[in-house]
Each structure stands twice: as C-alpha cells, then as structure tokens.
Amino acid sequence: MQKKVETVLDGKTLSLEAGWLAKQANGSVVVRQGDTMVLVTATMAASAREGIDFFPLTVDFRERTYAAGRFPGGFLKREARPSDPETLVCRLIDRPIRPMFEDNFKNETQVVCFVISHDQENPADVAAITGASAALLISDIPFHTPVAGARVARDKEGKFLINPTLEQMAESDLNLVMAGTADAITMVEAGAQELDEATMIEALAFGHEHIKEIVKIQVELREMLGKEKAQVEAPEVNAELQDKIVAFLTPGMEKAMQIPGKQDRQDAIDQLKESMKEQFNPEADADLEGEIKGYFKKVEKEVMRRLTLETQTRVDGRKPDEIRPITCQTGYVPRAHGSAIFTRGETQALVTTTLGTSSDEQRMDTLDFRGSKNFLLHYNFPAFCTGEVKFISGPGRREIGHGMLAERGLAPMLPSRDDFPYTIRIVSDILESNGSSSMASVCGGSLSLMDAGVPVKKPVAGIAMGLIKEQDRIAILSDITGTEDHLGDMDFKVVGTDAGITALQMDIKIDGLTKELMAQALEQARAGRLFILGEMAKALETPRPQMSKYAPRITTITVPVDKIRDVIGPGGKVIRDIIDKTGVQIDINDSGLVTIASADEAAAEKAIGIIQNLVQDVEVGKIYMGKVKKIMDFGAFVEIFPGTDGLVHISQICDRRIKRVSDEISEGDEIVVKVIDVDRNGKVKLSRKEAMRDEAEAALR
C-alpha cells in the first residue's frame, strides 16, 4: 500500500514515500527533494545479541553513480568500498538516531541508504538523516521519537536558506547540517567563515523551526503505515543487591574521581572494580556478572556528575571554565616542511604539514562534486595514545570524522590557490589522548601551517565543551576530558579565530537544551578559544617568512592555450625532456597554467626559460642567437628557439657574394640572425648579414 506525505520548505517540496519498495525490510522510505531521491531501509535481527553491553547499530550510506547517469571511476567500473564523503554521511545519520532507540534494545540493527537519483542540485545527506528516522519510525523496531535533518546556509544579503542547492552552498559563508526532534536540536555539524556566535545561534533556531515541519510529516506517515513496535524486555533489577553494591562502591568512587591524573584515576577505579568482584563474586553467574557491571557504570556516572554539580570542581580538580595547561613547540620534525607538537593536559598531537604540487591533489568523484582537492587533513589515533594494544589498520569512521572536522575548521583561513599554488597535507598523529584530540589537531595544524610558511589569514584554535545537567543544576565545562565526554550530556566542539567560528560539531544526549544555554556554552567556548590562541602565540604568532629548504618552490607561468601542445610535445616528449634536463616537476593544465616545482631555484629558472622559448612568438626585426640545423645549396635552416626555425637564404649569409653556404657556416654553429619576414603561412625568413650589420652599428654608437 503506497503512501506519500510531503511538506514545502522555502518553496521546495520534500516528500516521504513508503509502502511498496523493499517491503521485506522492517521499514523502508524514499525521501525526495527535487530529483534527488534516497531509498532508506531499516532492518533488525529477530533476537537480541547476547553478552554485549552496547547497542549494535550499523549505518551505511552509498552513492549509486547511475543516480546521476554516470559510470563509476576506476578500473572495475563498479561501486566499491565507501569513500570518505560517504563515511562522513554515515556518521551524520548515526549520531542523531542512535540515542533514540529504547534502552536495553540489543538486536542487531542496520540502516542502509542508497542514493538512487541525484539532480546535481540538491544534496542527499540531510535527506538521508530524515529518511533513516522515517524508515525506523514506521517499522516495528523500538524507535519512537522522530528525528529530521536540515541544512542551513546564508545568501550574500545574510538571509538564511533551508536545504540550499549546491550552487547556493558554494556562495554561502555558512554550511550548517543539523538534526533534531520536535522539541530539541540533537546534532550539529557546521563550517563557516568566521561567523559570530550570535549569528550561529540564529541559524540553529532557524533550522530547528523547519525540522519541526519535517518531523510532522514523519508522524503522518507513521499513522498511515506504522507497525506495532517490538517489545523490549527490561532486565530485572535486584534492588537489594544494587543497594549493597552502590553502598560499597560510592565512598571509593568518590575518592577515585578526585584523583587529578587520568592514569592514576583509572588505576584507582580498576582497583575498586577488583574489590567489588572479590566482595560479590560475579563470575559465579554470567547473568549476575553483567548486572553488576551495569551497577558499577551507574555508580561511576552518578558520582562524577554529582561531584561536579555540587562542588563545581571537575574530576581533575579544575573549575568548569578552566583550560588545562598548554605547551606548544614548532619545528620539531626537521625534514617535514612544517611541524608542531601541541600538548594540552594529557592530550598531545604531533602535527606535520607537507607542501606539494598540483599533481599531489586528491581526485574526487562523488555525486555532489567531481574535481580535485588541494587541502587534506589526516587524523590518526594509534592505540598507544591511550595505553592500549590494538592491531593497526586503516582509518575508521571516527578517524575520518575527526580529520574532516579539523580540516573544515582550518580551511577558511588558507590562502587562495592563486596566491599560494601548493597542495597542502596535514597529518595529525595523536600521541596521548584524554579528551578532545580533534581540537588538539586543529591547534597543532594551525601551528604547523605557520611553521611551514603558509601565509594563513589568521591562527585557528579549537575547544571541546561539555555539559552536566540534572534538573535545574547545570555545569558547562570547557576543555573536557575523556571521562566528562563519556559520562556527560553534551560534546560541543567549537573551532575558530579571534573573530569568529569556522567549524562546529555538537552531539547532545539530553532533551531540553535551550537557546539560552547554547548561547552560554558558545560564549564560554569563545573565551576558552581566545585563551588557547594566546598560548599558541607564545610559540609562533605569525607564519614564518621563509618556507623550509626541503619544500618545493613553485613558480607559475601562463602560456597561450594554442601553445600547450608545443610544451608537451608528441607523446609528452618535450616536457619529459625539460624535466630530465632540469630535474624539476612540471604540471600544465588546460587553461595554459604551467606550474614548475623544485627546491633548486636555478633549475626552476632554467625550466622557465626553456618553456618561454618554446612558446614565444617570432618578432620581425628582432635579433636571435640561433643554431644552424641544416645546410642546403640555397641557404641554411637555423633554429632561433626550440621548435622554431627559419631560412637564411644564401644571399643573406654575409654582405658579399658566396658560392657555397658551407664556406661561411657549418651545421651546429651558433650564429646571430635577424627576422626579416614571416609570411602568411608562418614561414620565417632570416638574415645573418643584417644581424651582423645591426650589431656593428650598435657597437659604434
């Protein structure tokens, strides 16, 4: 039974259709805006997964290239592993829907989103967030609170736009993706051009008003097609045992939570856990072991939150708005083009910057964008940074997401390609972690860029904010630790300069985060960001005037489009010969922009000279030093610059009559010649005698 609901957002129709596609899934919906369509399915396993203490949810987002009438790139010509952009959308969907499932629900659940049509105007990511919620809502999966996704941009006049087109986004100084319920904002991901805090709050409020409209049509669809929800059995609570464990743990947990150092604190908590096991012997009963483990986590969370709210002192002894000690060092890695070590408390990042040429750009082929990218930030989180032992594999979704957040925050402050024609790669290796390693990557990335001599517009810093809220008692926390992130109610990362915000990421675990509370958190974040910028300035305040001697020097020249083939030569022969002779790296694009890169300035100048000779036009009346290439009975052919030669007739060899050309010149000789004519067919006529005469007259002056 096919059903369809729709709403109009700023003149654009957003529709949800269900009831006839993918009916064997527990729920399925097609979301459409314009001609962009996303098929979203939600499926759950028949029974709960035993022996786990987490919700096993998987979210997959895949672009089908047929959606835009294209073939996939690459050799295999089929879609393969998800790209980084697809992985980032998976995270955008997962973060707002995960908290909305019933507690104690442990059935394997999978949400799959296929982009089946793309009109090259309307992005699919926010539609997929809405589609995931709608598919879950109409299914029998225990998901009760609908969530909607929306994007907010601003036009040149400062007017907010809801779910803008790709063209509108390209002209906007704000790209704000958000999700929320009818009552509250639950997730934010934003990039901006130094947007002030007040404007960001307005944008969030604007987006939430439209989210409410999208939630309404999901409720309508549920009323038409919704299935009865599966029942989740709550575990039985042994109140007597729980009270005994809480009484046993609380005094020791209070002491442990007031130990400043992460490792010392964790050691004390682990010892308390061992004492609990000895006291209550949970290994004797598998069900009892899981139950007692849950009680332990509950006490840990309750004690940390209560101590913070009652004393306004955090687990490491800081005040709510206090930043951990910061140290910065630049130039640590000698052969990297730029490097920095940024340490804040027990979080430390080694961040390097590498400069390359246009050949180092990353080629992108997504439904939204085809082209190349010249700024990359890669974030790595090895197990040793938290004192663990794990197999090193490729980057996971978390690493890709953290890297993109840092990249988004730094990108607005980079110089334009015209002013700085380099490809820039930043790598952040986290060496220690106790909260907010992505923000350490931002700070270290900014310092390493300046250490590399990249003329950034301003330094950038990032800070992670947290929240603990129990009814009317509130604590907003600056520069949160891992414990505060895990046990708190909000993870709110803010990146920016001294003038405004460049990136924002927020996940809220509770309802009821008011506009006023969000404004307070942003203002406290601004104060923390300014403090961190001041600490960074002690190490390096402005970009270094010179780049590393190991960095390539890039020079650009422009050649006429019709001369590009002369520089490249048949089969690339000419350009390869220039590279072999000079040792430089050369790239040339279709507009005639030639990029020459070399750490040897003399070699670069030599390559430029060769290219300029190749593309220069013959000037009538100009004297050239040419090379005799071939002698004929009637004259000699002389190359005046690479690829261009002309004829010196026998009568123009010298100022007297000669019988043979070889009496005066030989093949291989370098002689001065003057261009006396270029005919309509481009043939060049040269004169040696006029060139010699002009030089003699010039010498007499």
Side-chain angles (χ1 to χ4, degrees):
M1 182 172 60
Q2 185 176 353
K3 296 292 182 181
K4 184 176 181 180
V5 294
E6 59 186 37
T7 186
V8 178
L9 306 173
D10 196 20
K12 292 172 286 190
T13 300
L14 176 75
S15 68
L16 301 174
E17 181 182 285
W20 73 294
L21 294 182
K23 293 192 296 295
Q24 293 190 43
N26 295 72
S28 69
V29 167
V30 174
V31 192
R32 178 168 182 166
Q33 182 168 323
D35 281 344
T36 292
M37 301 169 68
V38 187
L39 168 65
V40 188
T41 62
T43 314
M44 73 170 174
S47 58
R49 185 169 155 187
E50 299 295 334
I52 60 172
D53 59 357
F54 62 91
F55 172 39
L57 171 68
T58 303
V59 176
D60 289 289
F61 175 89
R62 296 289 189 275
E63 295 182 339
R64 296 306 195 216
T65 54
Y66 64 70
R70 300 207 311 254
F71 277 76
F75 180 76
L76 296 177
K77 295 301 175 189
R78 71 171 298 160
E79 292 86 358
R81 64 181 297 275
S83 64
D84 282 4
E86 287 172 311
T87 298
L88 292 168
V89 179
C90 291
R91 284 173 53 85
L92 285 179
I93 301 166
D94 185 300
R95 285 158 48 201
I97 66 172
R98 184 177 289 272
M100 301 302 169
F101 291 86
E102 278 192 33
D103 293 339
N104 307 308
F105 178 53
K106 298 294 188 293
N107 297 47
E108 292 268 10
T109 302
Q110 185 178 30
V111 174
V112 177
C113 310
F114 286 166
V115 183
I116 59 174
S117 180
H118 199 287
D119 59 12
Q120 310 295 288
E121 291 184 10
N122 296 286
D125 49 3
V126 293
I129 297 172
T130 298
S133 171
L136 288 162
L137 195 65
I138 67 172
S139 75
D140 56 345
I141 300 170
F143 177 97
H144 301 281
T145 306
V147 174
R151 174 178 269 106
V152 178
R154 279 206 318 177
D155 64 18
K156 293 179 181 178
E157 286 71 42
K159 177 187 175 184
F160 291 124
L161 307 170
I162 192 72
N163 288 359
T165 64
L166 294 171
E167 184 179 351
Q168 289 172 325
M169 286 166 56
E171 298 176 350
S172 174
D173 62 353
L174 172 66
N175 181 5
L176 169 62
V177 175
M178 57 188 295
T181 66
D183 300 319
I185 297 168
T186 58
M187 187 274 294
V188 175
E189 189 90 37
Q193 298 281 345
E194 295 188 283
L195 208 66
D196 64 87
E197 283 73 11
T199 303
M200 185 65 77
I201 291 292
E202 289 178 23
L204 290 168
F206 173 82
H208 189 225
E209 288 303 312
H210 289 85
I211 281 173
K212 293 176 184 177
E213 296 301 314
I214 304 172
V215 166
K216 284 181 183 178
I217 63 171
Q218 291 187 53
V219 174
E220 288 178 29
L221 192 65
R222 178 180 60 187
E223 291 171 352
M224 296 175 182
L225 293 172
K227 301 176 183 178
E228 183 179 348
K229 294 294 182 181
Q231 297 299 309
V232 179
E233 292 185 10
E236 292 184 10
V237 177
N238 186 332
E240 183 180 354
L241 177 62
Q242 178 176 319
D243 291 343
K244 287 181 180 179
I245 291 176
V246 170
F248 174 81
L249 289 176
T250 299
M253 190 65 75
E254 288 178 347
K255 290 180 181 179
M257 280 295 177
Q258 296 179 68
I259 298 173
K262 173 188 175 182
Q263 199 61 55
D264 292 339
R265 182 169 60 251
Q266 190 58 52
D267 289 344
I269 292 173
D270 291 341
Q271 288 175 10
L272 186 61
K273 187 180 293 184
E274 291 301 316
S275 299
M276 179 193 70
K277 289 179 179 178
E278 292 174 6
Q279 179 76 15
F280 297 97
N281 191 25
E283 286 84 353
D285 184 336
D287 292 335
L288 181 62
E289 183 177 9
E291 187 176 346
I292 290 177
K293 189 176 180 181
Y295 297 153
F296 187 90
K297 288 185 174 180
K298 182 178 180 181
V299 171
E300 183 181 22
K301 181 175 182 179
E302 189 277 331
V303 168
M304 188 281 287
R305 295 168 65 88
R306 176 168 52 80
L307 288 176
T308 303
L309 290 171
E310 288 178 356
T311 67
Q312 292 294 299
T313 301
R314 299 154 67 176
V315 292
D316 56 4
R318 287 182 291 149
K319 296 176 181 178
D321 61 351
E322 188 176 348
I323 311 296
R324 288 172 290 180
I326 293 172
T327 60
C328 308
Q329 182 178 346
T330 59
Y332 182 76
V333 182
R335 289 297 182 114
H337 301 156
S339 65
I341 295 178
F342 180 85
T343 308
R344 185 187 57 241
E346 295 166 304
T347 295
Q348 184 179 72
L350 169 61
V351 191
T352 59
T353 294
T354 306
L355 303 177
T357 67
S358 57
S359 63
D360 297 307
E361 293 178 354
Q362 181 182 20
R363 292 184 179 179
M364 303 286 290
D365 186 8
T366 69
L367 295 181
D368 288 345
F369 175 76
R370 298 181 81 180
S372 59
K373 180 179 172 184
N374 74 330
F375 176 49
L376 314 168
L377 194 151
H378 295 144
Y379 166 100
N380 300 308
F381 194 85
F384 65 75
C385 74
T386 54
E388 297 176 282
V389 179
K390 289 182 182 177
F391 178 75
I392 294 179
S393 59
R397 290 186 176 187
R398 178 182 178 277
E399 289 177 300
I400 293 170
H402 278 37
M404 181 51 64
L405 172 61
E407 181 181 304
R408 187 183 301 119
L410 290 168
M413 293 299 104
L414 293 176
S416 68
R417 254 188 229 205
D418 292 339
D419 295 334
F420 194 74
Y422 286 85
T423 298
I424 303 170
R425 181 184 184 230
I426 294 176
V427 177
S428 176
D429 286 313
I430 305 304
L431 307 184
E432 290 184 60
S433 179
N434 183 19
S436 194
S437 55
S438 62
M439 297 298 92
S441 300
V442 169
C443 301
S446 181
L447 287 169
S448 74
L449 283 167
M450 293 193 292
D451 187 53
V454 178
V456 295
K457 300 168 189 174
K458 287 181 179 179
V460 180
I463 185 170
M465 307 295 293
L467 173 72
I468 296 176
K469 185 175 184 292
E470 297 285 352
Q471 296 177 344
D472 295 332
R473 296 188 302 172
I474 295 170
I476 297 175
L477 310 178
S478 297
D479 179 26
I480 57 175
T481 63
T483 300
E484 292 165 333
D485 184 4
H486 179 61
L487 302 178
D489 297 322
M490 177 179 73
D491 180 14
F492 192 3
K493 298 182 176 74
V494 187
V495 181
T497 67
D498 59 356
I501 297 168
T502 58
L504 186 68
Q505 185 182 85
M506 179 171 64
D507 291 293
I508 304 167
K509 305 171 189 176
I510 59 169
D511 291 335
L513 187 64
T514 64
K515 181 179 178 181
E516 291 73 23
L517 194 56
M518 199 177 298
Q520 186 181 343
L522 274 174
E523 180 55 33
Q524 190 167 315
R526 189 185 74 85
R529 186 173 78 241
L530 294 178
F531 172 79
I532 296 169
L533 285 168
E535 295 299 296
M536 290 166 57
K538 294 176 183 178
L540 189 60
E541 192 169 4
T542 58
R544 298 197 188 281
Q546 299 294 330
M547 294 189 298
S548 164
K549 64 181 179 180
Y550 301 112
R553 266 54 179 177
I554 293 182
T555 306
T556 59
I557 60 173
T558 302
V559 303
V561 173
D562 60 351
K563 297 285 187 177
I564 293 175
R565 62 179 180 272
D566 297 329
V567 178
I568 296 173
K573 180 181 178 182
V574 174
I575 198 167
R576 284 199 305 270
D577 184 57
I578 301 171
I579 293 169
D580 290 341
K581 286 179 179 177
T582 62
V584 304
Q585 184 177 337
I586 301 174
D587 296 304
I588 184 167
N589 65 22
D590 294 339
S591 68
L593 181 68
V594 182
T595 304
I596 300 100
S598 174
D600 184 343
E601 190 173 346
E605 290 296 330
K606 182 179 179 181
I608 290 170
I610 295 173
I611 294 170
Q612 288 175 334
N613 282 335
L614 284 170
V615 300
Q616 65 178 306
D617 291 320
V618 178
E619 295 182 34
V620 176
K622 186 175 179 179
I623 295 176
Y624 296 87
M625 177 62 73
K627 187 174 184 179
V628 179
K629 304 294 286 184
K630 191 173 184 180
I631 290 179
M632 309 292 289
D633 291 340
F634 52 83
F637 288 98
V638 177
E639 184 181 59
I640 55 176
F641 47 80
T644 301
D645 56 21
L647 175 65
V648 182
H649 190 265
I650 189 171
S651 63
Q652 297 293 325
I653 297 291
C654 60
D655 55 4
R656 66 181 187 281
R657 186 180 181 84
I658 58 174
K659 293 182 178 180
R660 289 185 298 274
V661 175
S662 58
D663 290 342
E664 288 292 323
I665 56 176
S666 302
E667 288 185 6
D669 286 352
E670 290 190 348
I671 61 174
V672 292
V673 290
K674 181 179 180 180
V675 179
I676 55 176
D677 188 30
V678 179
D679 67 18
R680 66 178 60 185
N681 295 319
K683 292 182 178 180
V684 180
K685 296 181 181 179
L686 305 172
S687 172
R688 178 173 177 252
K689 70 178 182 182
E690 288 195 21
M692 294 169 66
R693 185 186 305 146
D694 288 354
E695 286 193 341
E697 291 175 356
L700 293 175
R701 294 194 190 104

